[in-house]
Amino acid sequence: MAKGEIVGGLLAPHPPHIVYGENHWRNEPKSECGWEVLRWGYERARKHFLAKKPDVILVHSPHWQTVIGHHFLGIEEFHGLSVDPIFPNLFRFNYDIKVDVELAEMIADEGRQAGLITKMMRNPHFRVDYGTIVSCHMMNPEWDIPIVGISSNNSPYYFSNEMGQNEMIKLGQATKRAIEKSGRRAILLASNTLSHRHFTTEPEIPEDMSREHVYEHSGYLWDMKVIDLMRRGKTRELIAILPEFMDHAVSEVKAGSFAWMLSALDFPDYPGELYGYWTVIGTGNAVVGWDPVLRERATTQGAVGRN
Ligand code: 2X7
Ligand code: FE2
């Protein structure tokens, strides 16, 4: 069997609003439009990365929180209706998900050997969270590639940002080793919003884009700082300031998805391609892809270079 590889990694945010804006038949609420910059960004990212013919898409989601250990979807298929608890008016999604259980078990084993607590989710009635679904749907609306769904362990919330991030770095390395042993061609999705202060009232028409804007300048400045590091391939510097970003901009990267992915990619020193940045209810969201084949050539949109 050929050695498996990670053929791409993406920062793939999951506000349910973007699926609502898509008007896909799987989602019950219907919109007129909305959040196009992110939706068009996903469209370009998906064209690029699906052309690599991945066998599996892995996703780490902040909205599947587990208190003890890192959990993995662990049966071949999950069906159901996923309803966003805060935005049931925007997201009631009929899902039908195929899971690569063999790879999920391999990652759980590798994690355990590295000292992490891991567990398979074998409940067929388990309701898959909207973070997992939105990121996967926006990357592959056909749902014709199996996924590995990974929970986000709660340690950064009850212990410390640094301790939680170190766990995710271990989990990323375990993920990489398992993919290599499995022979799979894998794409990784870090399902994270950047700055996360947000509005608390909704316009009468949720997709009224005249009401959508950055919530606060300081959060925006943080987003620009971390995006600049992504676009310059400075992911080791980036990982070092993420704990501060978590506190100052209440960033959702606290859930660890982004650290997990950067670690699995071995902290790329080549630029991430920015496919789009925009706000959703004031939060900062960026679609950014790392393609190990493109490396330097990924910088097509003005990143400053690798100094
Ligand atoms: O889960 C989310 C999010 N992370 C950002 C914005 C809006 C809604 O849901
Ligand atoms: Fe979220």
Side-chain angles (χ1 to χ4, degrees), residues 14 63 130 193 196 252:
H14 59 248
H63 294 283
Y130 74 89
T193 287
H196 208 296
E252 202 184 40

Side-chain angles (χ1 to χ4, degrees), residues 74-252:
I75 56 174
E76 303 282 335
E77 287 189 23
F78 287 89
H79 309 274
L81 183 69
S82 181
V83 180
D84 183 312
I86 318 259
F87 297 102
N89 56 328
L90 307 185
F91 192 82
R92 293 195 304 277
F93 190 95
N94 289 286
Y95 63 90
D96 179 2
I97 297 177
K98 310 271 179 297
V99 176
D100 185 339
V101 178
E102 189 182 58
L103 177 57
E105 285 171 348
M106 290 174 78
I107 302 170
D109 286 347
E110 287 288 337
R112 213 169 293 123
Q113 283 168 39
L116 300 173
I117 298 173
T118 60
K119 188 170 167 59
M120 302 302 295
M121 163 49 74
R122 308 280 194 195
N123 176 358
H125 306 296
F126 177 68
R127 176 106 54 94
V128 179
D129 70 286
Y130 74 89
T132 297
I133 292 175
V134 171
S135 299
C136 289
H137 180 79
M138 294 305 291
M139 270 314 285
N140 181 29
E142 296 298 320
W143 289 95
D144 55 357
I145 301 169
I147 73 162
V148 168
I150 310 177
S151 77
S152 69
N153 173 253
N154 235 330
S155 52
Y157 298 91
Y158 62 73
F159 202 89
S160 73
N161 292 347
E162 288 75 9
M163 189 270 187
Q165 183 158 290
N166 287 341
E167 281 249 326
M168 297 306 170
I169 290 171
K170 272 194 200 168
L171 184 66
Q173 288 295 306
T175 303
K176 177 182 178 231
R177 285 193 299 276
I179 290 169
E180 286 175 354
K181 288 181 186 169
S182 75
R184 309 283 201 279
R185 292 167 60 73
I187 286 181
L188 270 47
L189 306 181
S191 179
N192 273 162
T193 287
L194 297 176
S195 63
H196 208 296
R197 287 205 175 88
H198 55 77
F199 304 117
T200 52
T201 54
E202 191 173 54
E204 201 177 315
I205 303 171
E207 62 269 37
D208 177 353
M209 290 293 102
S210 70
R211 305 281 295 277
E212 185 61 79
H213 58 89
V214 168
Y215 179 83
E216 60 176 0
H217 185 52
S218 61
Y220 178 71
L221 288 179
W222 261 106
D223 288 350
M224 294 307 109
K225 186 185 175 95
V226 295
I227 286 174
D228 180 59
L229 291 172
M230 295 182 213
R231 298 181 78 198
R232 289 196 288 136
K234 299 215 168 256
T235 62
R236 293 219 178 253
E237 287 89 334
L238 178 58
I239 198 91
I241 63 163
L242 287 187
E244 213 186 326
F245 182 39
M246 294 166 198
D247 285 341
H248 290 201
V250 272
S251 174
E252 202 184 40

